[in-house]
């Protein structure tokens, strides 16, 4: 692939046993070993594809760019539908039953929610405006709640739970004061929600597990590399830090120990990182290739 081939939204797609990433006017599906599996370029425009996510059964892929959401056949890459919508979202997540998509809108600040019909191809959009910056979004394991982390008026981080059907606010919990943070995922499909906060100074990550908005555990991870991209595994077990210089670290959240450190021997800068549930790390390089670390 060409140099400077942008990669956005790199993630592990468990239903497909593969990696997924967006790009400029395209998105990619990669085999578990990092080799290309499917490339979709049927966009007819050069707009960034910021997020791609699979349906729970692995049949469909949903992509989001600045002008709408596409629905694609995961096996062939054929486009089945394109839904125009300029409220583009990143960090897409899908409910366990495959009937709802949610994402964070950065242009029209708020949460974009899509209801999906039974065959998986027709989407109905809804939008909840938010007057503070959003940090993360995730469905609960049973799909009954949509969790959103955002900043409060005084800079504190807040977890809001909403009904994914009506978007009614169910609960709001004040998490912690200060520092940029992000909601990650549920630890091993339990009700323990993993959340991290970047502190600067003194330059550490705090990683929390929350249950019902109550903190049940906390570990502190020192930042031995700077200028990081941060990624959490879908299982909530692993946190990965990476820098443009090719430095990569993997941390075990349960033990608060670093169990992997690498320096990628490539001339291209590192742009994204993601981690599979068992700990395999994928790093996207600026030439559009993946580099796997185990």
């Amino acid at each position: 692939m060409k140099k400077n081939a942008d990669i956005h939204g790199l993630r592990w797609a468990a239903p497909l046993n593969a990696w997924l990433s967006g790009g400029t006017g395209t998105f990619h599906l990669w085999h578990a070993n990092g080799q290309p599996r499917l490339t979709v370029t049927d966009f007819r425009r050069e707009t960034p594809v910021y997020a791609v996510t699979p349906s729970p059964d692995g049949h469909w892929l949903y992509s989001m760019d600045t002008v709408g959401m596409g629905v694609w056949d995961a096996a062939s890459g054929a486009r089945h539908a394109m839904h125009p919508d300029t409220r583009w979202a990143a960090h897409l997540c899908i409910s366990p039953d495959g009937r709802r998509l949610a994402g964070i809108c950065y242009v029209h600040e708020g949460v974009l929610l899509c209801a999906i019909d039974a065959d998986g191809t027709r989407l109905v959009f809804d939008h909840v405006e938010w007057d503070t910056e959003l940090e993360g979004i995730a469905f609960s394991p049973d799909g009954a709640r949509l969790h959103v982390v955002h900043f409060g008026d005084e800079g504190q981080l807040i977890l809001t739970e909403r009904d994914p059907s009506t978007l009614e606010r169910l609960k709001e919990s004040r998490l912690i004061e200060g520092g940029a943070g992000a909601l990650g995922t549920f630890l091993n499909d339990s009700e323990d929600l993993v959340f991290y906060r970047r502190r600067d100074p003194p330059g550490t990550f705090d990683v929390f597990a929350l249950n019902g908005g109550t903190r049940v555990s906390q570990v502190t991870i020192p930042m031995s590399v700077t200028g990081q991209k941060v990624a959490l595994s879908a299982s909530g077990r692993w946190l990965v830090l990476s820098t443009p210089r090719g430095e990569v670290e993997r941390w075990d959240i349960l033990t608060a120990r670093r169990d992997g450190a690498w320096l990628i021997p490539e001339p291209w800068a590192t742009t994204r990182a993601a981690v599979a549930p068992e700990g395999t790390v994928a790093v996207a390089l600026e030439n559009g290739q993946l580099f796997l670390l185990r």
Side-chain angles (χ1 to χ4, degrees):
M1 297 181 185
K2 65 181 180 179
K3 183 179 177 180
N4 295 325
D6 294 333
I7 287 184
H8 304 286
L10 180 64
R11 60 173 296 169
W12 174 253
L16 300 168
N17 192 39
W19 304 96
L20 266 174
S21 66
T24 301
T26 187
F27 67 83
H28 307 279
L29 185 64
W30 312 78
H31 288 288
N33 64 4
Q35 296 302 308
R37 173 170 160 181
L38 177 69
T39 296
V40 175
T41 57
D42 187 22
F43 284 85
R44 300 184 177 87
R45 54 185 181 268
E46 288 295 308
T47 58
V49 179
Y50 286 103
V52 188
T53 193
S55 61
D57 62 6
H59 187 74
W60 302 110
L61 295 171
Y62 300 96
S63 68
M64 181 58 114
D65 63 10
T66 55
V67 294
M69 180 171 288
V71 184
W72 314 83
D73 186 292
S76 67
R79 182 174 66 179
H80 279 254
M82 183 62 72
H83 300 271
D85 196 292
T86 58
R87 298 168 298 186
W88 63 271
H91 307 296
L92 284 178
C93 59
I94 194 165
S95 61
D97 64 2
R99 300 301 298 273
R100 296 191 181 276
L101 277 165
I104 296 175
C105 295
Y106 290 112
V107 177
H108 307 279
E109 292 186 354
V111 172
L112 183 67
L113 190 67
C114 305
I116 306 172
D117 68 358
D119 71 1
T121 60
R122 185 175 181 273
L123 281 62
V124 178
F125 292 88
D126 201 349
H127 181 259
V128 177
E129 292 186 358
W130 229 279
D131 57 4
T132 60
E133 185 178 351
L134 298 173
E135 289 289 302
I137 190 167
F139 285 97
S140 62
D142 61 4
R145 301 178 308 283
L146 181 65
H147 295 78
V148 182
V149 167
H150 58 101
F151 283 107
D153 293 336
E154 299 178 357
Q156 72 272 28
L157 288 160
I158 294 174
L159 172 67
T160 297
E161 300 179 30
R162 288 182 179 264
D163 184 310
S165 299
T166 65
L167 295 177
E168 175 187 359
R169 182 179 300 179
L170 303 176
K171 184 177 181 179
E172 189 167 279
S173 305
R174 179 168 154 173
L175 297 177
I176 199 164
E177 295 288 347
L183 182 156
T185 186
F186 287 84
L187 185 60
N188 297 326
D189 293 325
S190 70
E191 288 295 314
D192 290 345
L193 180 63
V194 177
F195 166 86
Y196 67 83
R197 175 185 67 159
R198 186 197 303 263
R199 288 195 290 159
D200 187 24
T204 60
F205 281 95
D206 292 327
V207 184
F208 309 98
L210 309 168
N211 194 302
T214 301
R215 190 183 312 174
V216 294
S217 68
Q218 175 180 344
V219 299
T220 298
I221 294 175
M223 290 166 41
S224 58
V225 295
T226 58
Q228 302 100 326
K229 296 287 186 179
V230 185
L232 279 166
S233 67
S235 64
R237 173 71 183 273
W238 312 100
L239 182 140
V240 168
L241 312 175
S242 64
T243 75
R245 298 179 299 278
E247 301 162 297
V248 182
E249 294 184 355
R250 183 181 62 200
W251 288 78
D252 186 326
I253 290 173
L254 297 182
T255 64
R257 293 182 178 179
R258 186 178 68 181
D259 73 344
W262 303 270
L263 181 63
I264 298 175
E266 289 287 337
W268 313 116
T270 299
T271 61
R272 303 283 179 199
V275 56
E278 89 291 347
T280 298
V281 177
V283 176
L285 306 180
E286 69 172 355
N287 66 347
Q289 295 180 337
L290 286 191
F291 200 93
L292 296 190
L293 305 167
R294 294 182 175 89

